[in-house]
Amino acid sequence: CSDELFIRPLSLVLSAAVRKGITEAVARAFKDTRVKAVVLCGENGKFCGGADIREFAKAMSGPPLVPMIHAIEAGEKPVVAAIEEMALGGGLELALGCHYRVAHAKARLGLPEVTLGLLPAAGGTQRLPRLTGIPAALDLITTGRHISAQEALKLGIVDRVTEGNAVEAAVELALSVVGRPLAPRRLSNHATPLPADLDGVFEEVLVQVKRRARGAMAPVACAKAVRAAAELPYSRGLECERELMNTLFTSGQARALQYCFFAQRAAGKWSLPNGARWDNSRPRAVHTAGVIGLGTMGRGIAVCLVKAGISVVAVETEEKQLDSGRRAVRGMLERDAKRRGVTAPLHMITFTLSMQQLRDVDLVIEAVFEDMALKKSVFAELSRVCRPNALLCTNTSGLDVDELASVTDRPPLVVGMHFFAPAHVMKLLEVICGPRSSPETVATAMTLGKRLGKVSVAVGNCPGFVGNRMLKLYLDQAHFLLEEGASPEQVDQALEEFGFALGIFKVADLSGLDIGWRVRKAAGLIGPDVDPKFPSRHRQGRRYCPLPDLLCEQGRLGQKSGRGWYLYDSAGGKEARPDPAISSFLQEYRLRYGISARRITEQEVVERCVFVLANEGFRILEDGMAAAPEDIDMVYVFGYGWPRHRGGPMFHAAQVGLATVLQRLEFYHRQNPDIPHLQPSTLLRRLVGARSPPMQQWKQHIRSINSQL
Ligand SMILES: CCCCCCCCCCCCC[C@H](O)CC(=O)SCCNC(=O)CCNC(=O)[C@H](O)C(C)(C)COP(=O)(O)OP(=O)(O)OC[C@H]1O[C@@H](n2cnc3c(N)ncnc32)[C@H](O)[C@@H]1OP(=O)(O)O
Ligand SMILES: NC(=O)c1ccc[n+]([C@@H]2O[C@H](COP(=O)([O-])OP(=O)(O)OC[C@H]3O[C@@H](n4cnc5c(N)ncnc54)[C@H](O)[C@@H]3O)[C@@H](O)[C@H]2O)c1
C-alpha cells in the first residue's frame, strides 16, 4: 500500500466476503485524497476464478457483483486489474469493469459460465462485445473457452502482457495514466462495433450453437444476450442479460452442470477401504513408459504419454502391425504439433518387436487383444523382463485385473488403466483397483491420468468395471427395442434428442460390432449349442437378443466393414445412413420368431435405456464397486457421451424423482419379466422407502458397505 495506490488482494473466488472487501476498499481508495490510482490483484498470484459457485445454491448475501463493478467503472480514479494466472467468469467481468488490464504471459482468461449452465451476468455479455466486437464475444461467451494472455492482447481484452511481475507492471501503468480522461476507458459507454450483416452472423451462429448444445439452453441464451449488446443501449442490454440469467439460474440444467463441476473434482479424491487416500498416498514419478499393442487403443495411449512428456517404448508382435502403428502414432503427433505450431516430439517414442526393450521403464500399459490367456502370457513375460518395481497396468475393457496380477511376481504393482476410444481424445480414465493393488500403485495411476489430461475415476474390479457393466444393459435394452418394433435410427434419434453425443447404434458401429461378439463368446453366450438357423432368444436364464450376432455373421461389423446397423460409403466410412436391408432383416426376424412389431415411443426408448443405467448404478453402489454416485456419473459424462447438462445417470434419476424411476422400471419389468435388469434394485427401493434422500445420503442406505475399491 503506497500513497498513490491501494493494492487489494482477492481470494480465488468472489465470495460474499471478498465482494464486501473490494467494495469497501475501493470506496475508501476513491475517497482518500492521497490515492491517485488503484490496482486490483489476486491473492497468492491468482487474479480470480469468478463467482463462488457454492453460493448459488444458497440465499444471496453480501454486496451484489453488478453494482460493485459499476462503481469501479464509474470511479474518478483509474483502476487497473493485475491479472495473474486466471481471470475467469465474474473475475474477467470485474477486470472488464476496470479501466485498464495487465496480464501475466501465462494467465488464462475466459467467460466459462456457459459450462455451468449460466451466462456472464455481471455485465460480461454487454461489456465484452463492446470491446472485442460481436464475433469474438460470441465465440468466447457461447463456448466458455479459456484464452491465453497473448490471444487476449490481440483481441484487445488486455492492454499489456508481461513476462515479469504483473502487479508491478500494473502499478507502473496505473501511475502513468493518472490524470488521463477515464470516460473513453468505461466500456459501458462504448458503442458495440457491428458486423455488416448482423442478422446473417446471428443466424449462422445460432444454428452452430444449437447443434453443439445438444439441448443445453445456456449457449443459446448467451447468444441472445450478445445480440442485445449489438442492438440495445448498455442499460437495456444489462436488463436483458439479467432476465436471461434469471431463467437459467434456477434451471435443472444449471444444477446439473454445477453438480458436474464439483463431481469431477470429487472423483480425484479417492480412498480405499484400507485407509489409503488421495491425500496420504504418494504417487511414483513416471518418466518412461511401455505400451504393448499398437492397435486402436495402444496408438492413442502412446500419443497421450508422449504429449505429457513421458518417453515411450511401444511393442508389437509383427513387423506389419509395428509399421502401421508407427505411421499412425507419428501422424497423430505430427498433426497435433502442426495445430499447436510446435515441433512433433517424435524422438520421445521408440518402436520395437522386443519386450526386452521394456527393461528400464517405470510403468507399462498393456493394450493387446481382449483375451485373458494372451494377456496372462504378456503379464508373465513382463514380470520377467521389467524392473522389479515397475508398475504393470492393463487397458482391459472388463477382464479380472486380479487374475492378471496373479501371474506376475508383483500383484501390488498391478492396476487397471482403462482408456476410452479414441484414447488421445476421450477424457475418461477408469482406474481399476484390484484387491491387491497398493495405495502407491493406485495413486500413480490416478495421478498419471490427471497428467495425461484425463478425469481419473477409481473403480472396483468386477466384470466390465463401472462403465461397461452399465453399458451392457443399456445396449441390451436397445437390442430388445429393435425386436419389439423400433429401428436403429429411431432409437438413436431418441437418445440424441435426449442429448447423447451419438445414439447407441452409431456408437456400436464406430467401436466395431465384433468387440461385443467376442465378449459374448467368451462369456459362453454363443457356442456350438446355438442353433444357427433359429438362435435361441433365451440364454443363461434370461432374455437374449441374437440380432447383433446375426449381423456379425453377415460380416456387418460396423464402420470398419462399411456396414453395421447403418450403411457407410465404404469400409472406414464415417457417415451413417439408414440401410433398407436392416429394415427388411428386422422384419424377417420378427416374422421368424412370431413377434408382432408395436409402435415404440421416444419416451419408452429413453426411459428403458436411461433408467436401466441408473438401476445398475444403484447395484454398483451396493456392490461397493464405485465410491459414490458422482463417480458413476463422471464415468458416463466423460466416457460415454452422456449429456453433461443432465448431470449423469444417477443425478438424472434423482432429478426425475426416484419414485418415478422405480415406478417406470416396475412397469417395464411387468411387461418384460424375462429381463431381470429391469427389476428395480434393492437400493433404489430402499431409497424410495426413505422418501428419496439427497444423493450425498444414498450410501447411508446401503445395508453393509463392502467397498471393493
Ligand atoms: C430467480 C433468481 C435469479 C437470481 C439471479 C442471480 C444473479 C446472480 C448474479 C451472479 C453474477 C454472475 C457472476 C458471474 O458471471 C458468474 C460466475 O463467475 S460463475 C463462475 C465462473 N468461473 C468458473 O467457471 C471457473 C471455475 N473454476 C475453474 O475453472 C478452476 O477451478 C480454476 C479457477 C481454473 C482453478 O483450477 P485448479 O487450479 O485446477 O483448481 P481446482 O479446479 O481443483 O479448484 C480448486 C478448488 O477451488 C474450487 N473452485 C474453483 N473455482 C470455483 C468457483 N468459481 N466457485 C467455487 N469453488 C471454486 C474447486 O471446487 C476446488 O475446490 P475443491 O472442489 O477441491 O474443494
Ligand atoms: N477398441 C476399444 O474401443 C477399446 C476401448 C477400451 C479398451 N479396449 C481394450 O484395449 C485392448 C486393446 O484393444 P484394441 O481395440 O486396441 O485392439 P486391437 O485389435 O485394435 O489391437 C490390439 C493390438 O495388440 C497387438 N498384439 C497382440 N498380441 C500382442 C503381443 N503379445 N505383444 C504385442 N502386441 C500384441 C496386435 O497386433 C494389435 O495390433 C483390449 O483389451 C480392449 O478390450 C478397447
Side-chain angles (χ1 to χ4, degrees):
C1 179
S2 77
D3 269 6
E4 291 83 16
L5 301 146
F6 265 25
I7 300 179
R8 182 76 209 167
L10 311 174
S11 77
L12 180 68
V13 293
L14 285 165
S15 61
V18 171
R19 296 195 305 273
K20 183 166 180 286
I22 299 173
T23 306
E24 290 172 359
V26 169
R28 261 201 328 273
F30 284 169
K31 227 158 117 195
D32 189 329
T33 50
R34 295 168 305 155
V35 175
K36 303 286 179 261
V38 178
V39 170
L40 276 178
C41 65
E43 207 173 40
N44 300 326
K46 296 177 186 192
F47 182 70
C48 183
D52 184 347
I53 305 164
R54 288 185 203 275
E55 278 184 4
F56 293 164
K58 305 177 197 153
M60 282 288 173
S61 65
L65 206 47
V66 172
M68 180 188 101
I69 296 175
H70 180 73
I72 292 172
E73 190 190 57
E76 293 302 333
K77 294 177 186 176
V79 183
V80 182
I83 301 172
E84 295 170 295
E85 194 151 332
M86 87 275 290
L88 297 174
L92 180 54
E93 293 177 288
L94 170 61
L96 292 173
C98 296
H99 306 106
Y100 298 89
R101 289 157 290 280
V102 173
H104 186 266
K106 295 241 164 77
R108 288 177 298 151
L109 296 90
L111 292 173
E113 285 86 344
V114 68
T115 64
L116 300 167
L118 304 174
L119 51 71
T125 65
Q126 303 307 300
R127 284 196 179 91
L128 189 67
R130 286 174 160 77
L131 183 60
T132 63
I134 297 290
L138 274 173
D139 168 34
L140 294 185
I141 295 174
T142 61
T143 65
R145 75 182 178 92
H146 297 184
I147 57 170
S148 64
Q150 291 71 21
E151 190 176 351
L153 185 66
K154 271 195 209 135
L155 291 173
I157 295 174
V158 297
D159 303 289
R160 241 176 239 183
V161 172
T162 174
E163 297 272 354
N165 183 315
V167 179
E168 284 171 12
V171 170
E172 195 187 306
L173 175 67
L175 289 171
S176 72
V177 296
V178 170
R180 287 209 202 148
L182 286 175
R185 306 298 309 177
R186 296 189 180 109
L187 294 179
S188 64
N189 284 347
H190 289 203
T192 306
L194 296 180
D197 176 17
L198 187 65
D199 287 338
V201 167
F202 275 100
E203 257 165 46
E204 199 179 305
V205 163
L206 267 182
V207 171
Q208 276 174 22
V209 162
K210 280 186 182 156
R211 186 171 35 78
R212 268 199 320 255
R214 287 160 40 199
M217 305 182 303
V220 178
C222 284
K224 286 186 181 161
V226 174
R227 178 150 206 162
E231 292 176 338
L232 300 174
Y234 178 79
S235 59
R236 293 215 12 239
L238 206 59
E239 275 169 30
C240 175
E241 179 186 274
R242 190 170 48 240
E243 277 163 26
L244 289 162
M245 177 67 155
N246 286 352
T247 313
L248 296 177
F249 197 74
T250 48
S251 68
Q253 292 196 359
R255 270 200 296 280
L257 286 159
Q258 288 160 34
Y259 160 83
C260 285
F261 177 83
F262 291 112
Q264 179 180 343
R265 281 153 184 82
K269 297 180 179 168
W270 56 273
S271 61
L272 301 181
N274 61 14
R277 294 160 43 98
W278 64 281
D279 53 356
N280 67 11
S281 309
R282 263 172 93 91
R284 294 249 198 100
V286 178
H287 303 292
T288 53
V291 175
I292 310 190
L294 282 180
T296 311
M297 296 306 290
R299 296 167 183 197
I301 296 170
V303 167
C304 289
L305 291 163
V306 168
K307 279 176 63 185
I310 297 168
S311 297
V312 171
V313 178
V315 185
E316 257 291 350
T317 36
E318 286 177 26
E319 195 60 60
K320 194 169 161 224
Q321 276 89 345
L322 185 70
D323 201 45
S324 123
R326 183 192 288 121
R327 270 185 280 117
V329 169
R330 287 190 170 165
M332 283 190 264
L333 287 173
E334 274 162 356
R335 281 192 295 279
D336 177 70
K338 194 170 169 199
R339 235 186 342 263
R340 294 189 296 126
V342 294
T343 316
L346 301 181
H347 62 284
M348 291 191 63
I349 180 160
T350 49
F351 298 89
T352 175
L353 294 174
S354 164
M355 291 261 266
Q356 295 298 325
Q357 301 276 332
L358 298 172
R359 61 186 166 270
D360 293 327
V361 298
D362 299 319
L363 166 150
V364 177
I365 302 176
E366 163 279 311
V368 304
F369 303 124
E370 186 77 343
D371 174 328
M372 182 52 103
L374 171 65
K375 286 192 193 275
K376 277 183 167 172
S377 75
V378 168
F379 270 68
E381 176 73 1
L382 286 173
S383 274
R384 285 189 287 275
V385 168
C386 294
R387 288 198 323 236
N389 59 352
L391 257 60
L392 307 183
C393 315
T394 173
N395 182 48
T396 174
S397 305
L399 297 176
D400 184 346
V401 171
D402 198 43
E403 194 176 332
L404 281 176
S406 68
V407 300
T408 70
D409 58 351
R410 62 194 84 181
L413 300 192
V414 176
V415 71
M417 286 187 77
H418 183 206
F419 292 78
F420 288 71
H424 60 300
V425 175
M426 293 296 285
K427 291 274 284 179
L428 178 66
L429 178 73
E430 270 186 328
V431 172
I432 299 99
C433 311
R436 290 181 281 172
S437 309
S438 75
E440 191 188 31
T441 301
V442 173
T444 306
M446 292 291 289
T447 309
L448 178 58
K450 194 166 180 195
R451 186 169 161 199
L452 303 184
K454 308 291 178 198
V455 175
S456 313
V457 182
V459 299
N461 181 34
C462 60
F465 317 129
V466 166
N468 285 343
R469 171 171 162 175
M470 288 163 68
L471 178 72
K472 180 185 174 302
L473 309 182
Y474 168 36
L475 201 49
D476 280 353
Q477 287 311 310
H479 293 147
F480 296 148
L481 286 162
L482 293 190
E483 289 185 317
E484 292 165 35
S487 66
E489 44 280 13
Q490 185 198 350
V491 172
D492 278 358
Q493 195 186 335
L495 294 170
E496 286 169 18
E497 293 272 313
F498 178 78
F500 273 100
L502 277 184
I504 185 83
F505 290 109
K506 287 190 192 146
V507 173
D509 273 1
L510 184 66
S511 314
L513 303 188
D514 49 329
I515 296 185
W517 198 25
R518 230 176 285 138
V519 172
R520 291 189 293 279
K521 281 181 184 163
L525 284 158
I526 310 171
D529 53 331
V530 173
D531 177 351
K533 294 229 165 61
F534 200 69
S536 165
R537 292 182 54 233
H538 206 260
R539 297 184 202 176
Q540 297 183 352
R542 60 189 59 172
R543 182 167 160 192
Y544 180 86
C545 174
L547 280 169
D549 303 337
L550 294 170
L551 246 61
C552 288
E553 281 161 19
Q554 292 173 25
R556 300 191 70 120
L557 303 182
Q559 284 189 5
K560 64 173 95 166
S561 62
R563 296 176 319 152
W565 293 110
Y566 291 91
L567 193 59
Y568 301 87
D569 283 340
S570 58
K574 301 265 178 270
E575 200 176 321
R577 277 182 286 123
D579 188 350
I582 286 287
S583 171
S584 341
F585 164 70
L586 288 173
Q587 273 173 24
E588 279 162 28
Y589 174 89
R590 294 179 196 122
L591 208 63
R592 195 165 7 136
Y593 285 92
I595 305 168
S596 47
R598 62 186 175 84
R599 201 181 82 79
I600 293 179
T601 63
E602 192 176 316
Q603 180 190 356
E604 177 169 356
V605 172
V606 171
E607 285 186 344
R608 278 177 62 178
C609 292
V610 160
F611 291 167
V612 89
L613 280 175
N615 201 30
E616 191 60 11
F618 287 116
R619 291 200 183 95
I620 285 172
L621 287 176
E622 281 186 291
D623 294 351
M625 293 297 166
E630 287 88 342
D631 287 357
I632 298 176
D633 282 340
M634 292 306 97
V635 166
Y636 262 75
V637 165
F638 289 106
Y640 294 86
W642 176 281
R644 202 176 156 94
H645 62 269
R646 291 192 191 266
M650 310 312 286
F651 181 89
H652 180 66
Q655 215 167 31
V656 168
L658 297 186
T660 306
V661 174
L662 173 67
Q663 184 236 319
R664 298 306 290 159
L665 281 168
E666 279 172 336
F667 169 78
Y668 291 120
H669 188 234
R670 271 197 305 279
Q671 287 189 331
N672 302 278
D674 54 354
I675 309 181
H677 289 106
L678 285 173
Q679 186 166 18
S681 64
T682 319
L683 180 56
L684 173 59
R685 283 190 189 287
R686 209 173 290 137
L687 290 171
V688 173
R691 284 192 265 150
S692 305
M695 288 176 81
Q696 302 86 317
Q697 290 172 24
W698 287 0
K699 281 186 70 182
Q700 295 165 18
H701 295 264
I702 301 174
R703 285 269 151 82
S704 64
I705 294 187
N706 176 21
S707 172
Q708 300 298 308
L709 284 171

